Amino acid sequence: MDEFWDIQMDDGISRKETNWIAPMEREQFTTNRDEEENSYAYECIEFQLPHVNKTLNIRTVRSQVALLDSHVGEELWDAAKLFCSLLCNSYLSDDTIEYDKDQNGILKANNANSSSLVCGERLKGKKILELGAGVASLGMCAMALGAEEVLCTDYDKDVLKNLEFNLLSNLKTVYRENGSTFNDGSKEKLRSSTLDWRSFAASDIQSAEWIDTTVEDHANDQEGRDFYPDIVLGSALVYSVEGALYCADTVRFFLVERGAKECWILQMSERPGFDRFLLRLEHWNLIYETIDISEDVFNSAERCMGKISSNIDEFKLYTIRKASS
């Protein structure tokens, strides 16, 4: 049985850490065993990257408390598993595309339109922004697949602490895998930043009485706002009407104001507010395409990353870009 260590966070809530954390990490926290009623437990999940043959150690909050308050960002959700599987398998279920297997058994498109595909191969040498990163599984996967630079963003302070812990715990693993040499500057290539989507809300959203666009400190968003990504990634980003509008305006900002070529989002399409998200994209003259998840990607995710609790047809991949001028 895991040994647990209670830690005291800035908000005064006692939380538990599992025993896989190194002693040096434990010393950073204040032990407190007197607030059991306010505590919840973390666990470590071994997250295998298909075909990459490396395992990430991801710290998440235990599933039974993941839906409490702000802790949704500290859980490893099915959409992230599927997106990592899709990127690592490097192909999509499109019957119009012909594939050949390379020496590692990975299916790759061999037709002229392969450059428009969503696949891990296209992340090599690119600057990647992950929205709503949570436990940072997608961002770390992108780095392991050869991204030049990855910025993982979220807004909740506890989520960001856990996110940063995961990045630091897996830095050497992802650098070994993408062929780069780990050095003192490696932390700058895979890092985290605060990004509050409310700060990107357009004037029509800000003026709506039923929406709260209050942002505590815009200065904390500056690193994220100043980032110029090639590709924006996200999984399970929308689960409310209000959040859908914030998210769409944030996507617009990075595609239009920061020159990102594409945004790829893997999402359960029936989540509350997602129809509003798509309408908001159309409002900004952004176009999107919908792609089904293949059985191979789904099965690979379950085999390497754990059980997927929802059906395959509940998930869709959305590729978003600016309309051609």
Side-chain angles (χ1 to χ4, degrees):
M1 178 179 293
D2 286 338
E3 176 186 359
F4 290 95
W5 292 71
D6 284 339
I7 62 171
Q8 187 74 29
M9 303 295 275
D10 291 345
D11 57 8
I13 297 177
S14 175
R15 295 177 179 161
K16 293 180 177 179
E17 302 287 339
T18 51
N19 63 358
W20 67 274
I21 301 172
M24 183 182 298
E25 298 290 343
R26 290 195 184 110
E27 292 172 2
Q28 298 176 9
F29 306 111
T30 302
T31 301
N32 187 332
R33 295 185 176 275
D34 298 327
E35 300 184 16
E36 288 295 325
E37 69 280 5
N38 292 325
S39 65
Y40 70 93
Y42 282 110
E43 64 181 338
C44 176
I45 295 177
E46 288 191 351
F47 190 90
Q48 298 178 23
L49 298 177
H51 300 297
V52 178
N53 298 321
K54 287 294 178 181
T55 300
L56 302 177
N57 288 308
I58 295 180
R59 187 174 71 175
T60 74
V61 67
R62 293 193 184 277
S63 58
Q64 62 266 35
V65 293
L67 296 176
L68 299 177
D69 300 326
S70 63
H71 308 318
V72 292
E74 296 174 88
E75 167 71 339
L76 178 59
W77 297 104
D78 288 345
K81 297 176 186 178
L82 287 172
F83 207 165
C84 289
S85 175
L86 186 154
L87 293 173
C88 290
N89 281 283
S90 297
Y91 72 99
L92 302 174
S93 58
D94 188 334
D95 294 334
T96 66
I97 299 172
E98 297 177 358
Y99 295 97
D100 284 334
K101 285 188 176 182
D102 68 6
Q103 60 183 356
N104 296 315
I106 301 177
L107 292 170
K108 294 188 177 181
N110 58 24
N111 70 332
N113 296 322
S114 61
S115 63
S116 65
L117 291 175
V118 174
C119 64
E121 192 74 19
R122 292 191 55 215
L123 300 181
K124 288 185 176 180
K126 298 295 195 300
K127 292 184 177 181
I128 306 299
L129 173 70
E130 184 183 4
L131 297 177
V135 297
S137 55
L138 189 55
M140 291 189 290
C141 177
M143 181 59 79
L145 290 169
E148 169 64 22
E149 185 177 353
V150 177
L151 183 65
C152 301
T153 64
D154 218 298
Y155 78 98
D156 181 85
K157 63 180 181 179
D158 288 341
V159 171
L160 282 164
K161 287 179 181 179
N162 189 54
L163 188 160
E164 291 164 3
F165 181 93
N166 283 329
L167 295 184
L168 290 172
S169 300
N170 291 281
L171 270 174
K172 292 184 178 180
T173 298
V174 298
Y175 270 91
R176 280 200 305 270
E177 198 47 47
N178 74 5
S180 301
T181 301
F182 182 82
N183 53 49
D184 291 340
S186 296
K187 293 180 181 179
E188 298 302 315
K189 296 293 186 179
L190 177 62
R191 63 190 191 277
S192 63
S193 174
T194 302
L195 197 69
D196 191 333
W197 298 347
R198 292 173 296 182
S199 67
F200 299 96
S203 58
D204 60 331
I205 301 299
Q206 292 177 357
S207 62
E209 294 182 357
W210 59 278
I211 288 183
D212 177 18
T213 57
T214 303
V215 180
E216 293 182 3
D217 188 354
H218 284 281
N220 290 337
D221 281 7
Q222 202 58 48
E223 181 178 9
R225 296 179 72 92
D226 290 345
F227 192 66
Y228 286 76
D230 297 304
I231 299 174
V232 179
L233 303 179
S235 62
L237 297 183
V238 176
Y239 42 87
S240 72
V241 173
E242 191 172 338
L245 300 177
Y246 301 150
C247 185
D249 284 10
T250 303
V251 169
R252 184 213 68 84
F253 176 84
F254 285 102
L255 289 175
V256 176
E257 305 295 334
R258 291 295 180 259
K261 302 300 183 185
E262 297 171 81
C263 176
W264 305 343
I265 296 176
L266 200 148
Q267 174 77 31
M268 296 181 76
S269 55
E270 298 302 318
R271 286 295 191 198
F274 195 68
D275 55 341
R276 300 291 185 92
F277 173 79
L278 298 179
L279 287 172
R280 188 70 175 172
L281 294 181
E282 294 174 2
H283 169 78
W284 291 121
N285 199 30
L286 300 176
I287 59 176
Y288 62 88
E289 298 178 26
T290 306
I291 302 169
D292 293 330
I293 304 302
S294 73
E295 289 189 6
D296 286 338
V297 165
F298 189 90
N299 293 336
S300 177
E302 287 208 313
R303 184 171 59 252
C304 298
M305 305 167 193
K307 176 71 175 175
I308 306 292
S309 59
S310 301
N311 296 326
I312 187 174
D313 56 4
E314 296 182 53
F315 298 93
K316 303 290 182 183
L317 181 71
Y318 294 82
T319 64
I320 307 163
R321 63 183 187 279
K322 293 186 297 184
S324 300
S325 56

